[in-house]
Amino acid sequence: MQDLAWWQHSVVYEIYPRSFQDSNGDGIGDLKGILTRLDYLVRLGIDAVWISPIYPSPMADFGYDVADYCGIDPIFGTMEDFDLLLAELHRRGLRMILDFVPNHTSDQHPWFLESRSSRHNPKRDWYLWRDESNNWPSHFGGSGWELDATTNQYYYHAFLKQQPDLNWRNPDVKAAMFDALRFWLRKGVDGFRVDVMWLMIKDDQFRDNPPNPGYQLGQPSHHRLLPIYNADRPEIHDLVAEMRAVLDEFPDRVLIGEIYLPIEKLMTYYGRDMRGAHLPFNFQLLQCAWNAESVAQVISDYQGALPAGAWPNWVLGNHDKPRIASRIGASQARVAAMLLLTLPGTLTLYYGEELGMTDVPIAPEQVQDPAEKNEPGLGQGRDPERTPMPWDDSPSAGFTSGTPWLPLGDNAASNVAAIEHAPRSILTLYRRLIDLRRIHPTLVRGKLQSVIAENDVLRYERVELGTRILVLLNMNRKPVRVTLHSGTVLASTSLDREGQKLSGTIDMEAAEGLILSLDL
Ligand code: NOJ
């Protein structure tokens, strides 16, 4: 795969650092903890880790409220720990992607403390201050505007009031933030996942958003309005191109954008002449109904909308969405693994998916997430998918010697120690599937064709000169009969059919997936 950039043939693994591995007994994961688990990541076969924010932060939104873009929060360790982790990842041939949070800072960031101190402060214009508010909401409930008593003006915050939005139209903001990027790039960080990329620029006239005619009671309150003027503004693309240019000052780095938009809009984030994000995150699999027809449709829609020269990517989970195994069940989670790892392009999975980890129920008194605290009961809470990684069956799952910051799930049967060497476990399946991409580069770069849904079986082919790989995924609860030309099984979700020669009419078990090398 020498013809591809590293990030094009990578499987990216998201680590939510609070929950991966604790090293000092405070119940919260840290960098030293991650360091002790690198060999696990190597065995899993992933290529890059994306680590959610580790910068100094009051943790109002667990690190997505940054108080210093060039430091490490003591909860996670020190800069020495960071340097060591980066070096050790690189020594093992793994890449490191950091989370960059440019839309907003913490209200404790020195820039905001200055900005709010007086209307005439040189940093006043670094944030969005107005005499009057408008109807733009916060994603975490209530108005997006906070009246600040010191100067009697409102500032805008798309998330918590402790997360004031930066004014990206101000050239000094750009310069300071781009320098923060360079700080990490110079250290050798391999790229960034950019938080809420599509929200960074707002309407310069601060026009009110129109009502959303599709709003239904019970939905989070920010859905009441259509986000016309505070999201996806035309000017965003020049800004993303500028950010990309900063990364391009360094060889071989990747820019990934977190963007929740419909496919057509998402594609615009590749930028004019592919000068935008290398990878606008594709969240289609997190959102679509789990049946062969819907999945076939999103695959075709996404692939069909890719502009010339754009590299595809697929995401199976992240720290903001319910876990896949909870959404679709344990047996379909194996099908989802096979789906993800046979799709074209760069793939991202979330820690624990390889164990079939499920959401953990959180009692009201255990809630940590501000999204749940602000709007309880609407299903906004993200704690269930952020619980500690179960490494073994000990009381704290090998995650910590203290009390974990969020409760553990039932780790008795499903933990790394129990299933890593089990020949048919989901973890073994993940390892096999990741391995298969290395053995058969057609799975990474081959053309995707003949995407069909039939009797709730999703089938597609990955094709290159001289190679045809067929994927069959039974998304049904019932066994099903399918027909095929003839070929050899490379992998099956139950890990018991490898090497079988199949042709004509074959029977597939409920929730079975097969990858076949077709005879030509
Ligand atoms: C998106 C992040 O993924 C989420 O966790 C965070 O709360 C918001 N952006 C605000 O930064």
Side-chain angles (χ1 to χ4, degrees):
M1 285 185 273
Q2 280 128 354
D3 49 332
L4 299 178
W6 67 267
W7 52 267
Q8 292 181 302
H9 58 79
S10 281
V11 175
V12 178
Y13 183 89
E14 183 192 1
I15 291 180
Y16 194 67
R18 294 181 74 86
S19 292
F20 197 60
Q21 178 65 57
D22 178 23
S23 75
N24 62 358
D26 66 358
I28 299 174
D30 47 42
L31 297 177
K32 275 199 175 126
I34 299 175
L35 193 65
T36 63
R37 296 299 187 181
L38 294 189
D39 293 336
Y40 168 76
L41 298 177
V42 170
R43 291 198 298 277
L44 180 56
I46 54 107
D47 305 276
V49 291
W50 146 36
I51 308 180
S52 285
I54 47 177
Y55 316 107
S57 163
M59 303 286 165
D61 190 17
F62 297 111
Y64 285 94
D65 46 325
V66 178
D68 172 5
Y69 286 94
C70 299
I72 300 292
D73 194 284
I75 285 186
F76 297 122
T78 63
M79 195 56 90
E80 287 70 46
D81 296 339
F82 174 84
D83 291 339
L84 184 62
L85 179 60
L86 180 60
E88 288 297 313
L89 280 164
H90 282 169
R91 202 163 67 79
R92 289 166 174 79
L94 301 180
R95 307 284 181 150
M96 184 201 271
I97 297 166
L98 282 188
D99 214 309
F100 188 57
V101 190
N103 179 69
H104 43 268
T105 70
S106 159
D107 64 347
Q108 298 307 307
H109 195 295
W111 299 340
F112 188 70
L113 296 179
E114 272 195 55
S115 183
R116 87 184 327 175
S117 66
S118 98
R119 289 191 184 206
H120 309 291
N121 185 278
K123 293 218 166 47
R124 185 66 171 180
D125 185 52
W126 282 40
Y127 293 84
L128 300 167
W129 291 99
R130 307 274 297 164
D131 285 332
E132 281 168 25
S133 62
N134 65 14
N135 71 359
W136 298 352
S138 155
H139 283 75
F140 289 153
S143 168
W145 294 92
E146 180 72 8
L147 183 61
D148 196 44
T150 319
T151 54
N152 205 29
Q153 274 194 319
Y154 293 87
Y155 66 87
Y156 178 62
H157 54 91
F159 295 90
L160 298 174
K161 66 176 185 216
Q162 295 93 329
Q163 295 169 294
D165 280 37
L166 281 165
N167 175 15
W168 275 89
R169 294 175 191 273
N170 181 313
D172 296 336
V173 168
K174 268 194 214 171
M177 290 295 274
F178 290 168
D179 274 349
L181 286 176
R182 291 188 186 97
F183 172 83
W184 297 105
L185 291 166
R186 272 196 293 269
K187 277 186 176 285
V189 161
D190 298 287
F192 292 95
R193 170 268 189 191
V194 177
D195 194 61
V196 296
M197 185 180 261
W198 84 112
L199 301 184
M200 288 171 64
I201 291 261
K202 288 88 183 164
D203 180 41
D204 55 356
Q205 296 165 56
F206 295 89
R207 282 170 280 187
D208 272 342
N209 280 331
N212 174 9
Y215 175 76
Q216 286 168 1
L217 222 65
Q219 287 183 331
S221 56
H222 71 274
H223 288 302
R224 284 175 203 275
L225 301 168
L226 293 173
I228 304 290
Y229 293 112
N230 58 345
D232 193 34
R233 301 300 303 162
E235 300 95 319
I236 185 64
H237 298 294
D238 286 339
L239 177 56
V240 174
E242 281 183 74
M243 198 177 265
R244 164 71 179 273
V246 174
L247 269 81
D248 286 349
E249 292 167 18
F250 300 79
D252 233 11
R253 311 300 160 104
V254 68
L255 183 66
I256 305 176
E258 184 207 21
I259 300 151
Y260 283 94
L261 285 175
I263 289 175
E264 294 297 317
K265 296 263 184 201
L266 180 69
M267 295 301 167
T268 62
Y269 284 76
Y270 282 104
R272 231 171 286 122
D273 305 323
M274 297 296 112
R275 305 299 305 155
H278 294 101
L279 302 172
F281 258 153
N282 165 14
F283 296 130
Q284 292 302 314
L285 295 180
L286 301 183
Q287 294 161 333
C288 76
W290 199 257
N291 58 66
E293 240 166 68
S294 307
V295 177
Q297 192 65 52
V298 300
I299 294 175
S300 302
D301 289 352
Y302 177 81
Q303 292 291 136
L306 281 168
W311 188 253
N313 79 93
W314 295 89
V315 178
L316 198 57
N318 66 33
H319 63 285
D320 292 326
K321 298 289 171 199
R323 285 188 178 272
I324 186 82
S326 288
R327 254 186 68 205
I328 64 176
S331 48
Q332 284 295 331
R334 297 175 77 107
V335 175
M338 186 168 277
L339 168 68
L340 179 80
L341 290 157
T342 53
L343 285 172
T346 308
L347 311 173
T348 301
L349 44 118
Y350 183 48
Y351 83 95
E353 273 161 18
E354 74 276 21
L355 310 177
M357 218 172 142
T358 48
D359 292 344
V360 175
I362 304 292
E365 66 279 6
Q366 296 172 320
V367 170
Q368 301 275 350
D369 183 11
E372 176 67 20
K373 286 185 179 166
N374 286 2
E375 294 199 303
L378 297 185
Q380 289 290 89
R382 301 163 296 176
D383 294 328
E385 61 261 24
R386 295 177 175 179
T387 59
M389 177 86 167
W391 295 100
D392 58 37
D393 64 0
S394 66
S396 293
F399 165 70
T400 180
S401 58
T403 309
W405 75 288
L406 277 175
L408 292 160
D410 177 11
N411 63 316
S414 191
N415 60 70
V416 174
I419 69 172
E420 191 165 15
H421 302 293
R424 305 227 166 119
S425 71
I426 185 165
L427 179 50
T428 303
L429 175 65
Y430 263 95
R431 287 166 61 173
R432 173 81 188 118
L433 292 170
I434 293 174
D435 215 29
L436 218 52
R437 287 175 78 82
R438 290 213 173 86
I439 303 169
H440 300 279
T442 305
L443 289 171
V444 178
R445 61 178 182 212
K447 225 167 125 15
L448 173 74
Q449 63 185 42
S450 315
V451 184
I452 298 163
E454 218 173 33
N455 297 331
D456 219 9
V457 173
L458 173 63
R459 67 190 290 165
Y460 47 87
E461 290 183 20
R462 302 297 311 280
V463 179
E464 265 188 325
L465 199 64
T467 315
R468 258 178 87 194
I469 294 178
L470 172 68
V471 181
L472 292 166
L473 303 171
N474 182 3
M475 304 183 86
N476 206 320
R477 288 166 197 273
K478 289 185 258 157
V480 70
R481 189 156 278 185
V482 297
T483 54
L484 53 90
H485 186 52
S486 67
T488 310
V489 176
L490 297 176
S492 72
T493 42
S494 46
L495 291 165
D496 58 357
R497 296 181 78 164
E498 213 165 306
Q500 281 184 8
K501 301 228 177 283
L502 302 179
S503 66
T505 304
I506 62 154
D507 290 316
M508 291 181 77
E509 297 295 330
E512 184 172 43
L514 293 172
I515 306 175
L516 291 119
S517 169
L518 291 183
D519 302 334
L520 295 173

